[in-house]
Amino acid sequence: MTHPRPRPYSCSRANIGRGLLVLLIALGIGIALWIGDPVRLLAWGDAVAGGPWATAGLVLLMALMLTFALPGTLILWLIAPFHPPLLAIGLLLAGSVSGAWGAYRVSARLARHPDHERREDAWLADFLHRHSGLATQIALRVFPGFPHSMVNYAGGALGLPLGRFLLAAVLGLAVKWGVYATAIHGTTDALASGEALQPQTLLPLFALAVLLLLGAALRHRIQRRHSRRIETDE
């Protein structure tokens, strides 16, 4: 029995995402060079991104970008440095989970007209098709190396149960954003005050490094198994 593969998102959307990523990175570098002093840079960012209307706009922008497979998680860097960790986690969850729901809906609609072109990111859809339990989905959300847009669109295209999909997004992203927000906020606080990094600040950074290593290893293992399966089928 064969299963239809999810319809890939268009190349134009992927190119837009890459172009937007490059533009945002260049803009950030340009602003940092223009302002110069890191403390002034943080003060400027707080004035621009820390207000209630700006914050609400950033959450909405994050949700919309993730809905259309754009790099919405970059909004992390406009929220985490300027809000206490608990508030930042709530804001990031609101944006990312809303974006996950939107992307799920878009992908489910696109999957009604599937094609059979093989894509480089088919490994994740194949893995989720075989292992779609709650614990697996939470792990994909927690570990870096698994782009949220890929997970969101694969979930919608495969028709994973929406309740389990959203629960995994909430639980997994709560852990991930907790580590990221605590690490970023602690680092920016130390930078703004001119103090050395304290143990309570270094611990989230260590946890982040562990997540990065584990995520890279897990992704490599999944991709290797997918490649072997394709070679066997051929």
Side-chain angles (χ1 to χ4, degrees):
M1 179 179 178
T2 60
H3 300 277
R5 292 182 180 272
R7 183 179 183 179
Y9 0 113
S10 65
C11 293
S12 60
R13 186 181 292 119
N15 291 333
I16 290 173
R18 296 188 188 100
L20 183 60
L21 177 60
V22 172
L23 177 62
L24 290 175
I25 292 174
L27 180 63
I29 294 174
I31 292 174
L33 292 175
W34 173 58
I35 294 178
D37 184 3
V39 177
R40 287 181 57 204
L41 178 62
L42 291 173
W44 179 85
D46 186 41
V48 173
W53 289 106
T55 300
L58 288 173
V59 171
L60 178 60
L61 178 62
M62 183 180 193
L64 290 174
M65 291 176 69
L66 289 172
T67 294
F68 297 104
L70 297 174
T73 53
L74 290 176
I75 301 298
L76 163 73
W77 298 99
L78 298 176
I79 291 179
F82 311 116
H83 298 281
L86 286 179
L87 177 58
I89 293 168
L91 294 170
L92 292 168
L93 276 177
S96 56
V97 175
S98 298
W101 177 82
Y104 181 99
R105 292 299 188 187
V106 171
S107 181
R109 183 176 295 273
L110 293 176
R112 296 175 185 175
H113 308 284
D115 55 41
H116 299 280
E117 295 181 11
R118 180 175 295 173
R119 289 182 53 85
E120 294 180 359
D121 55 7
W123 60 272
L124 182 59
D126 178 67
F127 177 76
L128 274 174
H129 179 73
R130 299 171 182 273
H131 310 281
S132 60
L134 179 63
T136 299
Q137 292 191 54
I138 291 175
L140 293 180
R141 296 294 188 177
V142 171
F143 292 116
F146 302 93
H148 295 292
S149 294
M150 290 174 59
V151 177
N152 294 339
Y153 271 69
L158 293 170
L160 301 182
L162 181 58
R164 183 194 305 166
F165 175 84
L166 292 178
L167 178 60
V170 171
L171 296 178
L173 290 174
V175 175
K176 186 173 189 175
W177 294 144
V179 174
Y180 274 66
T182 304
I184 293 172
H185 190 76
T187 303
T188 53
D189 271 359
L191 183 62
S193 63
E195 298 178 355
L197 293 177
Q198 302 298 319
Q200 60 268 26
T201 303
L202 293 174
L203 184 59
L205 292 175
F206 175 76
L208 179 57
V210 171
L211 287 180
L212 288 169
L213 291 174
L214 291 177
L218 181 59
R219 173 168 177 158
H220 176 72
R221 182 177 180 182
I222 294 173
Q223 288 179 320
R224 185 175 59 183
R225 287 189 175 183
H226 177 70
S227 298
R228 289 177 178 175
R229 187 174 294 110
I230 290 178
E231 294 173 358
T232 302
D233 291 342
E234 293 177 349

PDB file of all heavy atoms in Angstrom, residues 2-41:
ATOM      1  N   THR A   2       0.606   2.149  -0.926  1.00  0.00           N
ATOM      2  CA  THR A   2       1.392   3.369  -1.018  1.00  0.00           C
ATOM      3  C   THR A   2       0.644   4.523  -0.401  1.00  0.00           C
ATOM      4  O   THR A   2      -0.585   4.548  -0.386  1.00  0.00           O
ATOM      5  CB  THR A   2       1.701   3.687  -2.488  1.00  0.00           C
ATOM      6  OG1 THR A   2       0.472   3.860  -3.184  1.00  0.00           O
ATOM      7  CG2 THR A   2       2.512   2.560  -3.131  1.00  0.00           C
ATOM      8  N   HIS A   3       1.378   5.472   0.099  1.00  0.00           N
ATOM      9  CA  HIS A   3       0.789   6.637   0.742  1.00  0.00           C
ATOM     10  C   HIS A   3       1.194   7.879  -0.033  1.00  0.00           C
ATOM     11  O   HIS A   3       2.364   8.035  -0.406  1.00  0.00           O
ATOM     12  CB  HIS A   3       1.293   6.757   2.187  1.00  0.00           C
ATOM     13  CG  HIS A   3       0.951   5.571   3.022  1.00  0.00           C
ATOM     14  ND1 HIS A   3      -0.266   5.408   3.634  1.00  0.00           N
ATOM     15  CD2 HIS A   3       1.695   4.472   3.316  1.00  0.00           C
ATOM     16  CE1 HIS A   3      -0.264   4.257   4.305  1.00  0.00           C
ATOM     17  NE2 HIS A   3       0.907   3.687   4.124  1.00  0.00           N
ATOM     18  N   PRO A   4       0.258   8.765  -0.313  1.00  0.00           N
ATOM     19  CA  PRO A   4       0.618   9.989  -1.045  1.00  0.00           C
ATOM     20  C   PRO A   4       1.558  10.846  -0.234  1.00  0.00           C
ATOM     21  O   PRO A   4       1.401  11.014   0.957  1.00  0.00           O
ATOM     22  CB  PRO A   4      -0.741  10.687  -1.235  1.00  0.00           C
ATOM     23  CG  PRO A   4      -1.592  10.161  -0.127  1.00  0.00           C
ATOM     24  CD  PRO A   4      -1.155   8.751   0.078  1.00  0.00           C
ATOM     25  N   ARG A   5       2.548  11.348  -0.920  1.00  0.00           N
ATOM     26  CA  ARG A   5       3.487  12.240  -0.255  1.00  0.00           C
ATOM     27  C   ARG A   5       2.882  13.631  -0.142  1.00  0.00           C
ATOM     28  O   ARG A   5       2.102  14.041  -0.986  1.00  0.00           O
ATOM     29  CB  ARG A   5       4.805  12.339  -1.045  1.00  0.00           C
ATOM     30  CG  ARG A   5       5.589  11.038  -1.022  1.00  0.00           C
ATOM     31  CD  ARG A   5       6.904  11.233  -1.771  1.00  0.00           C
ATOM     32  NE  ARG A   5       7.684  10.004  -1.762  1.00  0.00           N
ATOM     33  CZ  ARG A   5       8.533   9.673  -0.820  1.00  0.00           C
ATOM     34  NH1 ARG A   5       8.694  10.483   0.206  1.00  0.00           N
ATOM     35  NH2 ARG A   5       9.210   8.561  -0.884  1.00  0.00           N
ATOM     36  N   PRO A   6       3.247  14.368   0.896  1.00  0.00           N
ATOM     37  CA  PRO A   6       2.714  15.710   1.018  1.00  0.00           C
ATOM     38  C   PRO A   6       3.200  16.595  -0.110  1.00  0.00           C
ATOM     39  O   PRO A   6       4.318  16.449  -0.596  1.00  0.00           O
ATOM     40  CB  PRO A   6       3.254  16.200   2.364  1.00  0.00           C
ATOM     41  CG  PRO A   6       4.461  15.378   2.607  1.00  0.00           C
ATOM     42  CD  PRO A   6       4.173  14.049   1.995  1.00  0.00           C
ATOM     43  N   ARG A   7       2.341  17.519  -0.519  1.00  0.00           N
ATOM     44  CA  ARG A   7       2.726  18.431  -1.574  1.00  0.00           C
ATOM     45  C   ARG A   7       3.775  19.401  -1.068  1.00  0.00           C
ATOM     46  O   ARG A   7       3.600  20.033  -0.054  1.00  0.00           O
ATOM     47  CB  ARG A   7       1.498  19.219  -2.048  1.00  0.00           C
ATOM     48  CG  ARG A   7       1.822  20.155  -3.208  1.00  0.00           C
ATOM     49  CD  ARG A   7       0.566  20.883  -3.633  1.00  0.00           C
ATOM     50  NE  ARG A   7       0.859  21.724  -4.781  1.00  0.00           N
ATOM     51  CZ  ARG A   7      -0.054  22.472  -5.376  1.00  0.00           C
ATOM     52  NH1 ARG A   7      -1.293  22.482  -4.937  1.00  0.00           N
ATOM     53  NH2 ARG A   7       0.271  23.215  -6.414  1.00  0.00           N
ATOM     54  N   PRO A   8       4.895  19.553  -1.777  1.00  0.00           N
ATOM     55  CA  PRO A   8       5.922  20.473  -1.310  1.00  0.00           C
ATOM     56  C   PRO A   8       5.480  21.899  -1.454  1.00  0.00           C
ATOM     57  O   PRO A   8       4.719  22.246  -2.340  1.00  0.00           O
ATOM     58  CB  PRO A   8       7.119  20.175  -2.230  1.00  0.00           C
ATOM     59  CG  PRO A   8       6.507  19.618  -3.471  1.00  0.00           C
ATOM     60  CD  PRO A   8       5.281  18.870  -3.025  1.00  0.00           C
ATOM     61  N   TYR A   9       5.981  22.766  -0.577  1.00  0.00           N
ATOM     62  CA  TYR A   9       5.672  24.161  -0.709  1.00  0.00           C
ATOM     63  C   TYR A   9       6.449  24.699  -1.887  1.00  0.00           C
ATOM     64  O   TYR A   9       7.483  24.211  -2.262  1.00  0.00           O
ATOM     65  CB  TYR A   9       6.015  24.955   0.561  1.00  0.00           C
ATOM     66  CG  TYR A   9       6.602  24.178   1.694  1.00  0.00           C
ATOM     67  CD1 TYR A   9       7.912  24.397   2.086  1.00  0.00           C
ATOM     68  CD2 TYR A   9       5.842  23.230   2.378  1.00  0.00           C
ATOM     69  CE1 TYR A   9       8.463  23.699   3.130  1.00  0.00           C
ATOM     70  CE2 TYR A   9       6.399  22.516   3.421  1.00  0.00           C
ATOM     71  CZ  TYR A   9       7.710  22.764   3.780  1.00  0.00           C
ATOM     72  OH  TYR A   9       8.238  22.063   4.811  1.00  0.00           O
ATOM     73  N   SER A  10       5.970  25.736  -2.475  1.00  0.00           N
ATOM     74  CA  SER A  10       6.525  26.222  -3.729  1.00  0.00           C
ATOM     75  C   SER A  10       7.928  26.758  -3.540  1.00  0.00           C
ATOM     76  O   SER A  10       8.320  27.225  -2.485  1.00  0.00           O
ATOM     77  CB  SER A  10       5.628  27.335  -4.284  1.00  0.00           C
ATOM     78  OG  SER A  10       5.642  28.442  -3.415  1.00  0.00           O
ATOM     79  N   CYS A  11       8.691  26.729  -4.645  1.00  0.00           N
ATOM     80  CA  CYS A  11      10.043  27.247  -4.612  1.00  0.00           C
ATOM     81  C   CYS A  11      10.049  28.741  -4.340  1.00  0.00           C
ATOM     82  O   CYS A  11      10.956  29.260  -3.718  1.00  0.00           O
ATOM     83  CB  CYS A  11      10.748  26.956  -5.939  1.00  0.00           C
ATOM     84  SG  CYS A  11      11.056  25.202  -6.238  1.00  0.00           S
ATOM     85  N   SER A  12       9.022  29.431  -4.843  1.00  0.00           N
ATOM     86  CA  SER A  12       8.987  30.871  -4.633  1.00  0.00           C
ATOM     87  C   SER A  12       8.886  31.189  -3.150  1.00  0.00           C
ATOM     88  O   SER A  12       9.514  32.132  -2.673  1.00  0.00           O
ATOM     89  CB  SER A  12       7.798  31.478  -5.384  1.00  0.00           C
ATOM     90  OG  SER A  12       6.581  30.928  -4.927  1.00  0.00           O
ATOM     91  N   ARG A  13       8.118  30.419  -2.396  1.00  0.00           N
ATOM     92  CA  ARG A  13       8.007  30.658  -0.962  1.00  0.00           C
ATOM     93  C   ARG A  13       9.339  30.404  -0.264  1.00  0.00           C
ATOM     94  O   ARG A  13       9.740  31.148   0.635  1.00  0.00           O
ATOM     95  CB  ARG A  13       6.916  29.769  -0.362  1.00  0.00           C
ATOM     96  CG  ARG A  13       6.655  30.067   1.106  1.00  0.00           C
ATOM     97  CD  ARG A  13       5.601  29.159   1.685  1.00  0.00           C
ATOM     98  NE  ARG A  13       4.305  29.438   1.110  1.00  0.00           N
ATOM     99  CZ  ARG A  13       3.593  28.553   0.412  1.00  0.00           C
ATOM    100  NH1 ARG A  13       4.077  27.353   0.208  1.00  0.00           N
ATOM    101  NH2 ARG A  13       2.420  28.868  -0.073  1.00  0.00           N
ATOM    102  N   ALA A  14      10.031  29.353  -0.675  1.00  0.00           N
ATOM    103  CA  ALA A  14      11.333  29.069  -0.079  1.00  0.00           C
ATOM    104  C   ALA A  14      12.326  30.181  -0.391  1.00  0.00           C
ATOM    105  O   ALA A  14      13.110  30.595   0.462  1.00  0.00           O
ATOM    106  CB  ALA A  14      11.859  27.731  -0.601  1.00  0.00           C
ATOM    107  N   ASN A  15      12.305  30.684  -1.634  1.00  0.00           N
ATOM    108  CA  ASN A  15      13.213  31.761  -2.009  1.00  0.00           C
ATOM    109  C   ASN A  15      12.897  33.038  -1.249  1.00  0.00           C
ATOM    110  O   ASN A  15      13.802  33.774  -0.849  1.00  0.00           O
ATOM    111  CB  ASN A  15      13.128  32.013  -3.518  1.00  0.00           C
ATOM    112  CG  ASN A  15      13.707  30.864  -4.321  1.00  0.00           C
ATOM    113  OD1 ASN A  15      14.574  30.148  -3.838  1.00  0.00           O
ATOM    114  ND2 ASN A  15      13.230  30.686  -5.541  1.00  0.00           N
ATOM    115  N   ILE A  16      11.605  33.301  -1.047  1.00  0.00           N
ATOM    116  CA  ILE A  16      11.214  34.478  -0.268  1.00  0.00           C
ATOM    117  C   ILE A  16      11.741  34.355   1.156  1.00  0.00           C
ATOM    118  O   ILE A  16      12.256  35.319   1.734  1.00  0.00           O
ATOM    119  CB  ILE A  16       9.686  34.641  -0.277  1.00  0.00           C
ATOM    120  CG1 ILE A  16       9.207  35.051  -1.669  1.00  0.00           C
ATOM    121  CG2 ILE A  16       9.246  35.694   0.743  1.00  0.00           C
ATOM    122  CD1 ILE A  16       7.690  35.078  -1.814  1.00  0.00           C
ATOM    123  N   GLY A  17      11.607  33.160   1.742  1.00  0.00           N
ATOM    124  CA  GLY A  17      12.089  32.940   3.109  1.00  0.00           C
ATOM    125  C   GLY A  17      13.587  33.163   3.220  1.00  0.00           C
ATOM    126  O   GLY A  17      14.060  33.825   4.154  1.00  0.00           O
ATOM    127  N   ARG A  18      14.334  32.625   2.267  1.00  0.00           N
ATOM    128  CA  ARG A  18      15.786  32.813   2.311  1.00  0.00           C
ATOM    129  C   ARG A  18      16.167  34.283   2.128  1.00  0.00           C
ATOM    130  O   ARG A  18      17.055  34.805   2.808  1.00  0.00           O
ATOM    131  CB  ARG A  18      16.455  31.964   1.220  1.00  0.00           C
ATOM    132  CG  ARG A  18      16.287  30.460   1.409  1.00  0.00           C
ATOM    133  CD  ARG A  18      17.130  29.685   0.413  1.00  0.00           C
ATOM    134  NE  ARG A  18      16.837  28.271   0.473  1.00  0.00           N
ATOM    135  CZ  ARG A  18      16.041  27.647  -0.384  1.00  0.00           C
ATOM    136  NH1 ARG A  18      15.447  28.323  -1.358  1.00  0.00           N
ATOM    137  NH2 ARG A  18      15.803  26.349  -0.271  1.00  0.00           N
ATOM    138  N   GLY A  19      15.475  34.935   1.184  1.00  0.00           N
ATOM    139  CA  GLY A  19      15.763  36.348   0.958  1.00  0.00           C
ATOM    140  C   GLY A  19      15.448  37.197   2.173  1.00  0.00           C
ATOM    141  O   GLY A  19      16.208  38.115   2.519  1.00  0.00           O
ATOM    142  N   LEU A  20      14.327  36.885   2.837  1.00  0.00           N
ATOM    143  CA  LEU A  20      13.954  37.633   4.034  1.00  0.00           C
ATOM    144  C   LEU A  20      14.958  37.401   5.153  1.00  0.00           C
ATOM    145  O   LEU A  20      15.317  38.327   5.889  1.00  0.00           O
ATOM    146  CB  LEU A  20      12.554  37.224   4.483  1.00  0.00           C
ATOM    147  CG  LEU A  20      11.976  37.963   5.696  1.00  0.00           C
ATOM    148  CD1 LEU A  20      11.894  39.454   5.414  1.00  0.00           C
ATOM    149  CD2 LEU A  20      10.593  37.408   6.038  1.00  0.00           C
ATOM    150  N   LEU A  21      15.430  36.165   5.282  1.00  0.00           N
ATOM    151  CA  LEU A  21      16.435  35.855   6.303  1.00  0.00           C
ATOM    152  C   LEU A  21      17.710  36.657   6.083  1.00  0.00           C
ATOM    153  O   LEU A  21      18.260  37.258   7.007  1.00  0.00           O
ATOM    154  CB  LEU A  21      16.738  34.353   6.291  1.00  0.00           C
ATOM    155  CG  LEU A  21      17.830  33.859   7.250  1.00  0.00           C
ATOM    156  CD1 LEU A  21      17.458  34.180   8.680  1.00  0.00           C
ATOM    157  CD2 LEU A  21      18.056  32.370   7.064  1.00  0.00           C
ATOM    158  N   VAL A  22      18.183  36.674   4.844  1.00  0.00           N
ATOM    159  CA  VAL A  22      19.389  37.437   4.523  1.00  0.00           C
ATOM    160  C   VAL A  22      19.175  38.922   4.784  1.00  0.00           C
ATOM    161  O   VAL A  22      20.048  39.613   5.327  1.00  0.00           O
ATOM    162  CB  VAL A  22      19.796  37.199   3.051  1.00  0.00           C
ATOM    163  CG1 VAL A  22      20.930  38.135   2.643  1.00  0.00           C
ATOM    164  CG2 VAL A  22      20.215  35.745   2.848  1.00  0.00           C
ATOM    165  N   LEU A  23      17.996  39.430   4.407  1.00  0.00           N
ATOM    166  CA  LEU A  23      17.697  40.849   4.609  1.00  0.00           C
ATOM    167  C   LEU A  23      17.699  41.215   6.090  1.00  0.00           C
ATOM    168  O   LEU A  23      18.263  42.243   6.495  1.00  0.00           O
ATOM    169  CB  LEU A  23      16.345  41.191   3.988  1.00  0.00           C
ATOM    170  CG  LEU A  23      15.854  42.625   4.174  1.00  0.00           C
ATOM    171  CD1 LEU A  23      16.817  43.596   3.513  1.00  0.00           C
ATOM    172  CD2 LEU A  23      14.454  42.788   3.600  1.00  0.00           C
ATOM    173  N   LEU A  24      17.075  40.376   6.930  1.00  0.00           N
ATOM    174  CA  LEU A  24      17.017  40.652   8.360  1.00  0.00           C
ATOM    175  C   LEU A  24      18.401  40.598   8.998  1.00  0.00           C
ATOM    176  O   LEU A  24      18.732  41.410   9.863  1.00  0.00           O
ATOM    177  CB  LEU A  24      16.074  39.658   9.047  1.00  0.00           C
ATOM    178  CG  LEU A  24      14.579  39.835   8.739  1.00  0.00           C
ATOM    179  CD1 LEU A  24      13.777  38.712   9.373  1.00  0.00           C
ATOM    180  CD2 LEU A  24      14.085  41.187   9.222  1.00  0.00           C
ATOM    181  N   ILE A  25      19.209  39.627   8.573  1.00  0.00           N
ATOM    182  CA  ILE A  25      20.574  39.540   9.107  1.00  0.00           C
ATOM    183  C   ILE A  25      21.377  40.773   8.717  1.00  0.00           C
ATOM    184  O   ILE A  25      22.074  41.377   9.542  1.00  0.00           O
ATOM    185  CB  ILE A  25      21.267  38.259   8.600  1.00  0.00           C
ATOM    186  CG1 ILE A  25      20.599  37.016   9.219  1.00  0.00           C
ATOM    187  CG2 ILE A  25      22.756  38.283   8.944  1.00  0.00           C
ATOM    188  CD1 ILE A  25      21.129  35.709   8.676  1.00  0.00           C
ATOM    189  N   ALA A  26      21.270  41.177   7.451  1.00  0.00           N
ATOM    190  CA  ALA A  26      21.993  42.367   6.997  1.00  0.00           C
ATOM    191  C   ALA A  26      21.511  43.611   7.725  1.00  0.00           C
ATOM    192  O   ALA A  26      22.312  44.482   8.103  1.00  0.00           O
ATOM    193  CB  ALA A  26      21.812  42.532   5.485  1.00  0.00           C
ATOM    194  N   LEU A  27      20.200  43.699   7.936  1.00  0.00           N
ATOM    195  CA  LEU A  27      19.656  44.850   8.656  1.00  0.00           C
ATOM    196  C   LEU A  27      20.176  44.890  10.091  1.00  0.00           C
ATOM    197  O   LEU A  27      20.543  45.955  10.602  1.00  0.00           O
ATOM    198  CB  LEU A  27      18.125  44.787   8.643  1.00  0.00           C
ATOM    199  CG  LEU A  27      17.389  45.927   9.351  1.00  0.00           C
ATOM    200  CD1 LEU A  27      17.696  47.253   8.670  1.00  0.00           C
ATOM    201  CD2 LEU A  27      15.878  45.667   9.349  1.00  0.00           C
ATOM    202  N   GLY A  28      20.193  43.734  10.747  1.00  0.00           N
ATOM    203  CA  GLY A  28      20.697  43.681  12.122  1.00  0.00           C
ATOM    204  C   GLY A  28      22.159  44.074  12.210  1.00  0.00           C
ATOM    205  O   GLY A  28      22.559  44.829  13.113  1.00  0.00           O
ATOM    206  N   ILE A  29      22.963  43.576  11.284  1.00  0.00           N
ATOM    207  CA  ILE A  29      24.382  43.931  11.276  1.00  0.00           C
ATOM    208  C   ILE A  29      24.553  45.427  11.028  1.00  0.00           C
ATOM    209  O   ILE A  29      25.361  46.102  11.676  1.00  0.00           O
ATOM    210  CB  ILE A  29      25.136  43.105  10.218  1.00  0.00           C
ATOM    211  CG1 ILE A  29      25.141  41.625  10.606  1.00  0.00           C
ATOM    212  CG2 ILE A  29      26.571  43.623  10.057  1.00  0.00           C
ATOM    213  CD1 ILE A  29      25.743  40.721   9.551  1.00  0.00           C
ATOM    214  N   GLY A  30      23.761  45.966  10.082  1.00  0.00           N
ATOM    215  CA  GLY A  30      23.849  47.390   9.778  1.00  0.00           C
ATOM    216  C   GLY A  30      23.489  48.263  10.967  1.00  0.00           C
ATOM    217  O   GLY A  30      24.174  49.248  11.267  1.00  0.00           O
ATOM    218  N   ILE A  31      22.419  47.896  11.689  1.00  0.00           N
ATOM    219  CA  ILE A  31      22.008  48.665  12.866  1.00  0.00           C
ATOM    220  C   ILE A  31      23.068  48.581  13.960  1.00  0.00           C
ATOM    221  O   ILE A  31      23.396  49.579  14.612  1.00  0.00           O
ATOM    222  CB  ILE A  31      20.648  48.160  13.384  1.00  0.00           C
ATOM    223  CG1 ILE A  31      19.538  48.501  12.381  1.00  0.00           C
ATOM    224  CG2 ILE A  31      20.318  48.766  14.746  1.00  0.00           C
ATOM    225  CD1 ILE A  31      18.193  47.914  12.740  1.00  0.00           C
ATOM    226  N   ALA A  32      23.620  47.371  14.168  1.00  0.00           N
ATOM    227  CA  ALA A  32      24.651  47.203  15.198  1.00  0.00           C
ATOM    228  C   ALA A  32      25.887  48.051  14.892  1.00  0.00           C
ATOM    229  O   ALA A  32      26.466  48.686  15.779  1.00  0.00           O
ATOM    230  CB  ALA A  32      25.033  45.725  15.314  1.00  0.00           C
ATOM    231  N   LEU A  33      26.297  48.092  13.611  1.00  0.00           N
ATOM    232  CA  LEU A  33      27.456  48.895  13.238  1.00  0.00           C
ATOM    233  C   LEU A  33      27.163  50.387  13.353  1.00  0.00           C
ATOM    234  O   LEU A  33      28.039  51.184  13.722  1.00  0.00           O
ATOM    235  CB  LEU A  33      27.879  48.552  11.801  1.00  0.00           C
ATOM    236  CG  LEU A  33      28.457  47.143  11.588  1.00  0.00           C
ATOM    237  CD1 LEU A  33      28.719  46.900  10.118  1.00  0.00           C
ATOM    238  CD2 LEU A  33      29.743  46.958  12.400  1.00  0.00           C
ATOM    239  N   TRP A  34      25.919  50.770  13.060  1.00  0.00           N
ATOM    240  CA  TRP A  34      25.546  52.185  13.104  1.00  0.00           C
ATOM    241  C   TRP A  34      25.504  52.700  14.544  1.00  0.00           C
ATOM    242  O   TRP A  34      25.995  53.781  14.853  1.00  0.00           O
ATOM    243  CB  TRP A  34      24.197  52.377  12.424  1.00  0.00           C
ATOM    244  CG  TRP A  34      23.640  53.768  12.544  1.00  0.00           C
ATOM    245  CD1 TRP A  34      24.234  54.930  12.127  1.00  0.00           C
ATOM    246  CD2 TRP A  34      22.396  54.129  13.134  1.00  0.00           C
ATOM    247  NE1 TRP A  34      23.426  55.997  12.416  1.00  0.00           N
ATOM    248  CE2 TRP A  34      22.292  55.542  13.031  1.00  0.00           C
ATOM    249  CE3 TRP A  34      21.364  53.406  13.724  1.00  0.00           C
ATOM    250  CZ2 TRP A  34      21.190  56.229  13.505  1.00  0.00           C
ATOM    251  CZ3 TRP A  34      20.256  54.092  14.192  1.00  0.00           C
ATOM    252  CH2 TRP A  34      20.183  55.485  14.089  1.00  0.00           C
ATOM    253  N   ILE A  35      24.930  51.890  15.446  1.00  0.00           N
ATOM    254  CA  ILE A  35      24.826  52.315  16.841  1.00  0.00           C
ATOM    255  C   ILE A  35      26.143  52.141  17.580  1.00  0.00           C
ATOM    256  O   ILE A  35      26.561  52.987  18.366  1.00  0.00           O
ATOM    257  CB  ILE A  35      23.691  51.537  17.549  1.00  0.00           C
ATOM    258  CG1 ILE A  35      22.343  51.922  16.924  1.00  0.00           C
ATOM    259  CG2 ILE A  35      23.682  51.825  19.039  1.00  0.00           C
ATOM    260  CD1 ILE A  35      21.168  51.195  17.514  1.00  0.00           C
ATOM    261  N   GLY A  36      26.822  51.025  17.306  1.00  0.00           N
ATOM    262  CA  GLY A  36      28.154  50.822  17.871  1.00  0.00           C
ATOM    263  C   GLY A  36      28.140  50.239  19.267  1.00  0.00           C
ATOM    264  O   GLY A  36      28.440  49.065  19.464  1.00  0.00           O
ATOM    265  N   ASP A  37      27.784  51.028  20.260  1.00  0.00           N
ATOM    266  CA  ASP A  37      27.827  50.610  21.655  1.00  0.00           C
ATOM    267  C   ASP A  37      26.748  49.565  21.932  1.00  0.00           C
ATOM    268  O   ASP A  37      25.569  49.817  21.686  1.00  0.00           O
ATOM    269  CB  ASP A  37      27.594  51.834  22.541  1.00  0.00           C
ATOM    270  CG  ASP A  37      27.730  51.497  24.020  1.00  0.00           C
ATOM    271  OD1 ASP A  37      28.062  50.341  24.327  1.00  0.00           O
ATOM    272  OD2 ASP A  37      27.491  52.392  24.854  1.00  0.00           O
ATOM    273  N   PRO A  38      27.103  48.349  22.445  1.00  0.00           N
ATOM    274  CA  PRO A  38      26.099  47.321  22.712  1.00  0.00           C
ATOM    275  C   PRO A  38      25.016  47.780  23.677  1.00  0.00           C
ATOM    276  O   PRO A  38      23.850  47.407  23.534  1.00  0.00           O
ATOM    277  CB  PRO A  38      26.918  46.169  23.303  1.00  0.00           C
ATOM    278  CG  PRO A  38      28.298  46.387  22.812  1.00  0.00           C
ATOM    279  CD  PRO A  38      28.461  47.874  22.716  1.00  0.00           C
ATOM    280  N   VAL A  39      25.385  48.590  24.689  1.00  0.00           N
ATOM    281  CA  VAL A  39      24.395  49.061  25.647  1.00  0.00           C
ATOM    282  C   VAL A  39      23.391  49.978  24.956  1.00  0.00           C
ATOM    283  O   VAL A  39      22.180  49.901  25.186  1.00  0.00           O
ATOM    284  CB  VAL A  39      25.089  49.781  26.820  1.00  0.00           C
ATOM    285  CG1 VAL A  39      24.047  50.344  27.783  1.00  0.00           C
ATOM    286  CG2 VAL A  39      26.016  48.816  27.544  1.00  0.00           C
ATOM    287  N   ARG A  40      23.895  50.860  24.100  1.00  0.00           N
ATOM    288  CA  ARG A  40      22.993  51.734  23.335  1.00  0.00           C
ATOM    289  C   ARG A  40      22.115  50.918  22.398  1.00  0.00           C
ATOM    290  O   ARG A  40      20.941  51.242  22.180  1.00  0.00           O
ATOM    291  CB  ARG A  40      23.809  52.743  22.532  1.00  0.00           C
ATOM    292  CG  ARG A  40      24.457  53.853  23.348  1.00  0.00           C
ATOM    293  CD  ARG A  40      25.220  54.795  22.450  1.00  0.00           C
ATOM    294  NE  ARG A  40      24.348  55.357  21.417  1.00  0.00           N
ATOM    295  CZ  ARG A  40      24.787  55.829  20.253  1.00  0.00           C
ATOM    296  NH1 ARG A  40      26.082  55.776  19.961  1.00  0.00           N
ATOM    297  NH2 ARG A  40      23.938  56.326  19.383  1.00  0.00           N
ATOM    298  N   LEU A  41      22.685  49.859  21.823  1.00  0.00           N
ATOM    299  CA  LEU A  41      21.915  48.996  20.929  1.00  0.00           C
ATOM    300  C   LEU A  41      20.751  48.344  21.670  1.00  0.00           C
ATOM    301  O   LEU A  41      19.623  48.298  21.164  1.00  0.00           O
ATOM    302  CB  LEU A  41      22.836  47.920  20.332  1.00  0.00           C
ATOM    303  CG  LEU A  41      22.166  46.900  19.405  1.00  0.00           C
ATOM    304  CD1 LEU A  41      21.563  47.584  18.192  1.00  0.00           C
ATOM    305  CD2 LEU A  41      23.180  45.844  18.970  1.00  0.00           C
TER     306      LEU A  41
END
